[in-house]
Amino acid sequence: MPQDPPVKIGVVKEIKTHEYRVALTPAGVRELKKDGHDVLFQATCGEGSGLSDEAYLEAGAESRPDAAAVFAEADMIVKVKEPLEPEWAMMRKGQILFTYLHLAADRHLTESVLKTGSQCFSYETLEVKGELPLLDPMSEVAGRLAIQAGAKYLEKPAQGTGILLGGVPGVRPAKVTVIGGGTVGTNAARMAAGLGAEVTILDISLERLRYLDEILPKNCKTLFSTDLSLEEELVDTDLLVGAVLVPGAAAPKLVSRADLKLMKPGSVIVDVAIDQGGCVETARPTTHEDPTYVVDDVVHYCVANMPGAVPRTSTHALTNATLPWMRLLAKKGYRDAILDSRPMSLAANCIDGHLTYAAVAEAFDMSWTPARDLVAY
Ligand SMILES: NC(=O)c1ccc[n+]([C@@H]2O[C@H](COP(=O)([O-])OP(=O)(O)OC[C@H]3O[C@@H](n4cnc5c(N)ncnc54)[C@H](O)[C@@H]3O)[C@@H](O)[C@H]2O)c1
């Protein structure tokens, strides 16, 4: 349905180091155009994800030479990562921003974004019936990538034990242990099982274990997670994937330094939960440039932004999930989106210069106002 007047939606190139994802694909441009909106894109914004300027133009978007031009004209900016300092100066009072904001991690960012007076909505706090649907796609990518990365570092030249995940006829496959059977863990288990590994997945939720038992293939077994059951698994594990999450808290340390001695030399740990502090005591964040290090003969891979390694997949996975919410925000405007949609009211983090998300306020001992109270007619 054409909008009157059309909303101008702007997509900019990410400026965070080694961030190659982009918030909107040409397919998304087509959908937004169909809704009657205009789309402006910063030239080369999709390059890192294999999306050409021509593809954006063909889909009906208009090109702008730099981010400043997009920020100056657009009513609504869509991004992937939190805005960085050069972007704060370009944000405008009343302009909508929709992105992964991660305000609770950075007080300076929170204060700076509030000062701009932009209406900031965050992917990671958008909640539907207790689930966080805009975090799921990245967990799916990270879970699958954990096995790809783990397989690589199990190779001898990469300091691994030198075992092939699936084995070959007549030779045992590798053993993969996954701690945490949520989105990351399930995707990791499925990928490892598909390659022919022998997989054990541990969780503390019996309900989840029952579900996993139903849906996972026969070469995956489920196990209730306790210190003892985990220790017993570590002895013959070749690849360990850390995939636990306790909502709103740092990841529990389930594998201690002493436990590494139980593992075979050259075995590999991929601690996906590193972005929440990691579930292995010896895990510390690494980068795609230097992803691994060795402690007590065990290779550790602890990249905090794993999906960044596969932007072509991650961009599409992210935008498939975000597009319906972008359309809703553009159609209704920030005020009616907050009033009519509970998920969008929870995604609202900063409205009219006020903090509107409780957990961010608690993190910095700041005051907050529910978004719905601020925008009520
Ligand atoms: N490094 C990266 O690039 C990256 C990318 C995506 C997600 N992550 C992180 O991966 C982690 C997992 O994310 P998710 O989406 O799968 O979360 P999720 O909530 O879907 O699953 C977490 C699971 O952990 C289980 N769990 C909690 N405590 C446990 C324990 N003591 N033992 C065993 N299981 C336990 C829960 O029951 C749940 O099933 C999070 O920390 C997330 O932030 C990291």
PDB file of all heavy atoms in Angstrom, residues 56-72:
ATOM      1  N   TYR A  56      21.175  -3.135  -6.230  1.00  0.00           N
ATOM      2  CA  TYR A  56      20.328  -2.222  -5.436  1.00  0.00           C
ATOM      3  C   TYR A  56      19.565  -1.269  -6.361  1.00  0.00           C
ATOM      4  O   TYR A  56      18.380  -0.992  -6.157  1.00  0.00           O
ATOM      5  CB  TYR A  56      21.181  -1.408  -4.449  1.00  0.00           C
ATOM      6  CG  TYR A  56      21.585  -2.196  -3.212  1.00  0.00           C
ATOM      7  CD1 TYR A  56      22.790  -2.878  -3.164  1.00  0.00           C
ATOM      8  CD2 TYR A  56      20.744  -2.265  -2.108  1.00  0.00           C
ATOM      9  CE1 TYR A  56      23.149  -3.613  -2.042  1.00  0.00           C
ATOM     10  CE2 TYR A  56      21.093  -2.991  -0.987  1.00  0.00           C
ATOM     11  CZ  TYR A  56      22.299  -3.665  -0.960  1.00  0.00           C
ATOM     12  OH  TYR A  56      22.641  -4.394   0.154  1.00  0.00           O
ATOM     13  N   LEU A  57      20.275  -0.770  -7.387  1.00  0.00           N
ATOM     14  CA  LEU A  57      19.630   0.170  -8.314  1.00  0.00           C
ATOM     15  C   LEU A  57      18.493  -0.524  -9.066  1.00  0.00           C
ATOM     16  O   LEU A  57      17.400   0.018  -9.199  1.00  0.00           O
ATOM     17  CB  LEU A  57      20.660   0.739  -9.297  1.00  0.00           C
ATOM     18  CG  LEU A  57      21.697   1.698  -8.686  1.00  0.00           C
ATOM     19  CD1 LEU A  57      22.829   1.980  -9.674  1.00  0.00           C
ATOM     20  CD2 LEU A  57      21.045   3.015  -8.234  1.00  0.00           C
ATOM     21  N   GLU A  58      18.769  -1.757  -9.517  1.00  0.00           N
ATOM     22  CA  GLU A  58      17.735  -2.510 -10.249  1.00  0.00           C
ATOM     23  C   GLU A  58      16.499  -2.765  -9.388  1.00  0.00           C
ATOM     24  O   GLU A  58      15.379  -2.827  -9.872  1.00  0.00           O
ATOM     25  CB  GLU A  58      18.286  -3.864 -10.712  1.00  0.00           C
ATOM     26  CG  GLU A  58      18.887  -3.807 -12.099  1.00  0.00           C
ATOM     27  CD  GLU A  58      19.664  -5.071 -12.419  1.00  0.00           C
ATOM     28  OE1 GLU A  58      19.260  -6.158 -11.963  1.00  0.00           O
ATOM     29  OE2 GLU A  58      20.694  -4.943 -13.105  1.00  0.00           O
ATOM     30  N   ALA A  59      16.741  -2.910  -8.076  1.00  0.00           N
ATOM     31  CA  ALA A  59      15.611  -3.180  -7.168  1.00  0.00           C
ATOM     32  C   ALA A  59      14.833  -1.897  -6.868  1.00  0.00           C
ATOM     33  O   ALA A  59      13.791  -1.934  -6.211  1.00  0.00           O
ATOM     34  CB  ALA A  59      16.127  -3.802  -5.873  1.00  0.00           C
ATOM     35  N   GLY A  60      15.384  -0.753  -7.313  1.00  0.00           N
ATOM     36  CA  GLY A  60      14.633   0.498  -7.170  1.00  0.00           C
ATOM     37  C   GLY A  60      15.166   1.447  -6.114  1.00  0.00           C
ATOM     38  O   GLY A  60      14.532   2.468  -5.820  1.00  0.00           O
ATOM     39  N   ALA A  61      16.354   1.132  -5.543  1.00  0.00           N
ATOM     40  CA  ALA A  61      16.931   2.047  -4.544  1.00  0.00           C
ATOM     41  C   ALA A  61      17.711   3.159  -5.247  1.00  0.00           C
ATOM     42  O   ALA A  61      18.115   3.013  -6.395  1.00  0.00           O
ATOM     43  CB  ALA A  61      17.850   1.277  -3.600  1.00  0.00           C
ATOM     44  N   GLU A  62      17.923   4.266  -4.528  1.00  0.00           N
ATOM     45  CA  GLU A  62      18.723   5.372  -5.070  1.00  0.00           C
ATOM     46  C   GLU A  62      20.063   5.396  -4.365  1.00  0.00           C
ATOM     47  O   GLU A  62      20.127   5.250  -3.137  1.00  0.00           O
ATOM     48  CB  GLU A  62      18.032   6.720  -4.792  1.00  0.00           C
ATOM     49  CG  GLU A  62      16.757   6.937  -5.552  1.00  0.00           C
ATOM     50  CD  GLU A  62      16.064   8.211  -5.045  1.00  0.00           C
ATOM     51  OE1 GLU A  62      16.744   9.216  -4.788  1.00  0.00           O
ATOM     52  OE2 GLU A  62      14.836   8.148  -4.880  1.00  0.00           O
ATOM     53  N   SER A  63      21.111   5.640  -5.140  1.00  0.00           N
ATOM     54  CA  SER A  63      22.468   5.625  -4.576  1.00  0.00           C
ATOM     55  C   SER A  63      22.846   7.003  -4.015  1.00  0.00           C
ATOM     56  O   SER A  63      22.453   8.033  -4.557  1.00  0.00           O
ATOM     57  CB  SER A  63      23.445   5.231  -5.685  1.00  0.00           C
ATOM     58  OG  SER A  63      24.756   5.370  -5.235  1.00  0.00           O
ATOM     59  N   ARG A  64      23.605   6.981  -2.924  1.00  0.00           N
ATOM     60  CA  ARG A  64      24.191   8.199  -2.379  1.00  0.00           C
ATOM     61  C   ARG A  64      25.682   7.921  -2.162  1.00  0.00           C
ATOM     62  O   ARG A  64      26.058   6.803  -1.826  1.00  0.00           O
ATOM     63  CB  ARG A  64      23.547   8.586  -1.035  1.00  0.00           C
ATOM     64  CG  ARG A  64      22.065   8.982  -1.154  1.00  0.00           C
ATOM     65  CD  ARG A  64      21.894  10.315  -1.902  1.00  0.00           C
ATOM     66  NE  ARG A  64      20.500  10.724  -2.025  1.00  0.00           N
ATOM     67  CZ  ARG A  64      19.701  10.383  -3.035  1.00  0.00           C
ATOM     68  NH1 ARG A  64      20.155   9.643  -4.031  1.00  0.00           N
ATOM     69  NH2 ARG A  64      18.454  10.795  -3.073  1.00  0.00           N
ATOM     70  N   PRO A  65      26.521   8.969  -2.324  1.00  0.00           N
ATOM     71  CA  PRO A  65      27.965   8.683  -2.317  1.00  0.00           C
ATOM     72  C   PRO A  65      28.528   8.327  -0.941  1.00  0.00           C
ATOM     73  O   PRO A  65      29.541   7.641  -0.839  1.00  0.00           O
ATOM     74  CB  PRO A  65      28.579   9.998  -2.817  1.00  0.00           C
ATOM     75  CG  PRO A  65      27.540  11.042  -2.530  1.00  0.00           C
ATOM     76  CD  PRO A  65      26.212  10.365  -2.624  1.00  0.00           C
ATOM     77  N   ASP A  66      27.906   8.814   0.119  1.00  0.00           N
ATOM     78  CA  ASP A  66      28.486   8.550   1.450  1.00  0.00           C
ATOM     79  C   ASP A  66      27.391   8.447   2.510  1.00  0.00           C
ATOM     80  O   ASP A  66      26.216   8.761   2.255  1.00  0.00           O
ATOM     81  CB  ASP A  66      29.508   9.641   1.827  1.00  0.00           C
ATOM     82  CG  ASP A  66      28.945  11.032   1.642  1.00  0.00           C
ATOM     83  OD1 ASP A  66      27.714  11.193   1.827  1.00  0.00           O
ATOM     84  OD2 ASP A  66      29.707  11.955   1.303  1.00  0.00           O
ATOM     85  N   ALA A  67      27.821   8.045   3.711  1.00  0.00           N
ATOM     86  CA  ALA A  67      26.863   7.840   4.798  1.00  0.00           C
ATOM     87  C   ALA A  67      26.197   9.161   5.184  1.00  0.00           C
ATOM     88  O   ALA A  67      25.005   9.194   5.509  1.00  0.00           O
ATOM     89  CB  ALA A  67      27.574   7.231   6.003  1.00  0.00           C
ATOM     90  N   ALA A  68      26.971  10.261   5.135  1.00  0.00           N
ATOM     91  CA  ALA A  68      26.420  11.560   5.549  1.00  0.00           C
ATOM     92  C   ALA A  68      25.185  11.904   4.731  1.00  0.00           C
ATOM     93  O   ALA A  68      24.176  12.383   5.266  1.00  0.00           O
ATOM     94  CB  ALA A  68      27.490  12.647   5.411  1.00  0.00           C
ATOM     95  N   ALA A  69      25.247  11.640   3.416  1.00  0.00           N
ATOM     96  CA  ALA A  69      24.114  11.965   2.544  1.00  0.00           C
ATOM     97  C   ALA A  69      22.908  11.101   2.893  1.00  0.00           C
ATOM     98  O   ALA A  69      21.759  11.571   2.886  1.00  0.00           O
ATOM     99  CB  ALA A  69      24.515  11.759   1.082  1.00  0.00           C
ATOM    100  N   VAL A  70      23.153   9.828   3.221  1.00  0.00           N
ATOM    101  CA  VAL A  70      22.040   8.932   3.568  1.00  0.00           C
ATOM    102  C   VAL A  70      21.424   9.369   4.899  1.00  0.00           C
ATOM    103  O   VAL A  70      20.193   9.507   5.027  1.00  0.00           O
ATOM    104  CB  VAL A  70      22.527   7.457   3.653  1.00  0.00           C
ATOM    105  CG1 VAL A  70      21.388   6.551   4.084  1.00  0.00           C
ATOM    106  CG2 VAL A  70      23.099   7.004   2.317  1.00  0.00           C
ATOM    107  N   PHE A  71      22.267   9.605   5.905  1.00  0.00           N
ATOM    108  CA  PHE A  71      21.752  10.041   7.213  1.00  0.00           C
ATOM    109  C   PHE A  71      20.981  11.357   7.091  1.00  0.00           C
ATOM    110  O   PHE A  71      19.972  11.561   7.752  1.00  0.00           O
ATOM    111  CB  PHE A  71      22.900  10.216   8.216  1.00  0.00           C
ATOM    112  CG  PHE A  71      23.246   8.969   8.989  1.00  0.00           C
ATOM    113  CD1 PHE A  71      24.271   8.131   8.578  1.00  0.00           C
ATOM    114  CD2 PHE A  71      22.546   8.629  10.143  1.00  0.00           C
ATOM    115  CE1 PHE A  71      24.591   6.978   9.289  1.00  0.00           C
ATOM    116  CE2 PHE A  71      22.851   7.481  10.861  1.00  0.00           C
ATOM    117  CZ  PHE A  71      23.881   6.657  10.435  1.00  0.00           C
ATOM    118  N   ALA A  72      21.464  12.269   6.225  1.00  0.00           N
ATOM    119  CA  ALA A  72      20.838  13.586   6.111  1.00  0.00           C
ATOM    120  C   ALA A  72      19.427  13.488   5.536  1.00  0.00           C
ATOM    121  O   ALA A  72      18.533  14.233   5.926  1.00  0.00           O
ATOM    122  CB  ALA A  72      21.707  14.496   5.237  1.00  0.00           C
TER     123      ALA A  72
END
